[in-house]
Amino acid sequence: KAGVTQTPRYLIKTRGQQVTLSCSPISGHRSVSWYQQTPGQGLQFLFEYFSETQRNKGNFPGRFSGRQFSNSRSEMNVSTLELGDSALYLCASSAYGQGAGELFFGEGSRLTVL
Amino acid sequence: AQSVAQPEDQVNVAEGNPLTVKCTYSVSGNPYLFWYVQYPNRGLQFLLKYITGDNLVKGSYGFEAEFNKSQTSFHLKKPSALVSDSALYFCAVRAARSGAGSYQLTFGKGTKLSVIP
């Protein structure tokens, strides 16, 4: 079974631009979550989707948004990029309703904002 | 609110020696507890979980973790460390009954494990 796939793996943007990151979950997983990882703040929860509905949202400004499609693939968008948005963005999928709902992570998208 | 504390930023251990990476948690109600490992420039890999039942949980790559409800701890252990175990380890928690069916995890800051040859 293929794992969680995130694209692109690396990207460089400049302040003020916007970026869209993509995530394809493990086949059959309908729950997708996004986390931001930085050296200073560690892993911070961004959002969680299930069946195209946002179930939960972390404490991030409105510049951060996401969505989930009918095939469970998810995208997140960051508009008006700031230097502090430089981070590793991790997507995770889960088989909702089964077991403890452990998350399975992708390799991440490393965003550098110049 | 739930939280996780990993009191050691770094743990050094000699190859072949037992290792312990510490984790304490705070959550309302019963916890679901997880350990993940992260290698450089990679995502997080699931190691093991505690849901209920036996306090000693066995996971991948020879790792195990001991759940202690009275001490609200979930320490990660391995009897004999390998150099290849060197990585960043994260403990995570969520309440067994999460609001709106959310699977959101709260992570600790991570502990860097270095296994010295």
Side-chain angles (χ1 to χ4, degrees):
Chain A
K1 209 179 229 186
V4 177
T5 304
Q6 291 189 245
T7 56
R9 287 291 313 280
Y10 302 92
L11 65 166
I12 300 173
K13 295 285 186 179
T14 57
R15 280 181 298 174
Q17 288 187 310
Q18 74 166 12
V19 66
T20 298
L21 309 177
S22 180
C23 172
S24 293
I26 292 171
S27 178
H29 285 190
R30 296 167 61 193
S31 177
V32 173
S33 304
W34 290 88
Y35 289 79
Q36 181 197 64
Q37 185 179 19
T38 59
Q41 298 298 317
L43 284 152
Q44 303 285 312
F45 170 75
L46 280 158
F47 0 77
E48 179 181 17
Y49 290 90
F50 177 74
S51 291
E52 303 178 67
T53 300
Q54 189 179 86
R55 280 190 170 269
N56 205 356
K57 187 178 191 303
N59 188 24
F60 278 82
R63 301 185 296 107
F64 291 80
S65 62
R67 58 178 176 170
Q68 186 181 31
F69 303 96
S70 59
N71 61 358
S72 294
R73 191 178 69 85
S74 178
E75 289 181 347
M76 66 163 284
N77 183 276
V78 188
S79 63
T80 320
L81 285 166
E82 301 177 358
L83 295 179
D85 297 333
S86 294
L88 181 67
Y89 290 88
L90 292 164
C91 171
S93 73
S94 177
Y96 190 82
Q98 297 179 27
E102 56 267 34
L103 303 182
F104 295 91
F105 285 83
E107 299 286 54
S109 293
R110 183 167 294 282
L111 170 65
T112 301
V113 182
L114 303 177
Chain B
Q2 52 199 36
S3 64
V4 175
Q6 294 182 241
E8 300 154 318
D9 291 336
Q10 177 147 357
V11 170
N12 297 321
V13 63
E15 186 176 23
N17 281 4
L19 69 87
T20 299
V21 181
K22 296 179 180 178
C23 169
T24 58
Y25 67 91
S26 174
V27 71
S28 296
N30 293 322
Y32 286 167
L33 293 155
F34 307 85
W35 276 101
Y36 287 85
V37 60
Q38 185 178 36
Y39 297 97
N41 297 314
R42 305 294 297 274
L44 274 66
Q45 293 181 30
F46 170 74
L47 277 179
L48 51 79
K49 65 182 178 184
Y50 171 82
I51 305 176
T52 187
D54 288 341
N55 290 339
L56 186 63
V57 178
K58 295 189 182 297
S60 306
Y61 312 119
F63 284 93
E64 56 190 27
E66 187 169 11
F67 170 66
N68 187 315
K69 187 172 183 178
S70 63
Q71 297 186 3
T72 60
S73 67
F74 189 56
H75 301 330
L76 181 70
K77 301 181 179 185
K78 188 174 182 181
S80 178
L82 300 173
V83 172
S84 58
D85 293 330
S86 299
L88 189 57
Y89 290 80
F90 290 95
C91 181
V93 70
R94 75 173 180 91
R97 291 181 178 274
S98 297
S102 172
Y103 281 5
Q104 176 189 346
L105 293 182
T106 298
F107 287 87
K109 292 291 187 184
T111 298
K112 183 178 179 181
L113 174 67
S114 294
V115 181
I116 304 161

